[in-house]
Amino acid sequence: MKSTSIWKFAKEWVPSIAFAILLALVINTYVAQAMTVPTGSMLPTIQLKDEIIVEKMKPLTDFEFGDIVVFWPPLEGNKDRYVKRLIGLPGDTIEIRNGTLYRNGQAVDEPYVKDKMTYTFGPIAVPAGNYFFLGDNRNDSYDAHLWPTPFVPEKDIIGKAVFRLFPLNHLGTIE
């Protein structure tokens, strides 16, 4: 009698559990994924240890200037995902001088940057199929202005950060 109830339980629940696991794997791989922000490079927009949702449907996503994106940086031996703001699209010319970001020769208003940049960079043109990223905490962010190769190939983009889950007092969309 006991083996009959185990068989009945397995017959009823194993397919549902297997389907749920498969669905979770597909969603996590191709649709969206939660991640913990590992550094303070995006302060004050995103805090260290914030939990965010990354939308991973790249073919359906239009990446635009100012988006917050998760990607694999072009750094030898790196195993960490980075979270930064998209500053340069393919074909853009980026320059930083006198504490101001210039994109295609125009000064950019960046209300999300707390402190003026204390360095100069560029001008540099973003090649086709590549993107240029900087942290919002510009003077304390290991980002494209410091990397040996400042561009992230499109294939290394994971997705767009779209929602903050934690801490609960900051629950909501990310801008």
Side-chain angles (χ1 to χ4, degrees):
M1 180 96 162
K2 193 170 194 156
S3 68
T4 307
S5 63
I6 292 172
W7 178 247
K8 182 179 177 186
F9 173 82
K11 218 166 121 178
E12 288 178 10
W13 286 99
V14 168
S16 296
I17 292 169
F19 179 74
I21 291 170
L22 181 63
L23 184 62
L25 288 172
V26 168
I27 288 170
N28 194 44
T29 302
Y30 299 107
V31 179
Q33 180 178 25
M35 78 169 276
T36 302
V37 176
T39 70
S41 70
M42 286 298 293
L43 292 168
T45 308
I46 299 175
Q47 305 297 309
L48 176 65
K49 303 292 184 197
D50 277 5
E51 287 283 332
I52 61 174
I53 296 290
V54 180
E55 179 264 308
K56 298 172 78 174
M57 297 183 294
K58 288 187 342 185
L60 304 175
T61 304
D62 289 326
F63 291 99
E64 298 175 355
F65 173 81
D67 287 345
I68 297 174
V69 178
V70 177
F71 57 90
W72 300 105
L75 302 170
E76 192 77 27
N78 181 74
K79 293 180 172 43
D80 296 324
R81 298 171 293 184
Y82 277 31
V83 181
K84 307 284 184 203
R85 191 171 297 272
L86 178 54
I87 299 300
L89 299 164
D92 283 347
T93 299
I94 303 299
E95 182 177 12
I96 298 166
R97 61 181 150 84
N98 301 323
T100 301
L101 171 70
Y102 292 86
R103 182 172 171 252
N104 301 322
Q106 301 291 318
V108 178
D109 178 36
E110 297 185 289
Y112 41 80
V113 176
K114 188 172 125 185
D115 298 319
K116 282 187 147 220
M117 292 162 280
T118 58
Y119 56 87
T120 58
F121 181 84
I124 192 165
V126 181
N130 287 268
Y131 296 84
F132 184 89
F133 295 95
L134 295 174
D136 286 359
N137 189 6
R138 298 283 162 83
N139 296 318
D140 195 25
S141 176
Y142 187 53
D143 54 30
H145 86 279
L146 294 171
W147 300 335
T149 304
F151 308 112
V152 175
E154 185 172 5
K155 70 176 180 50
D156 291 338
I157 291 177
I158 297 168
K160 189 187 299 190
V162 293
F163 197 82
R164 183 182 352 250
L165 291 172
F166 187 82
L168 294 176
N169 62 332
H170 290 118
L171 181 75
T173 57
I174 301 172
E175 296 183 28

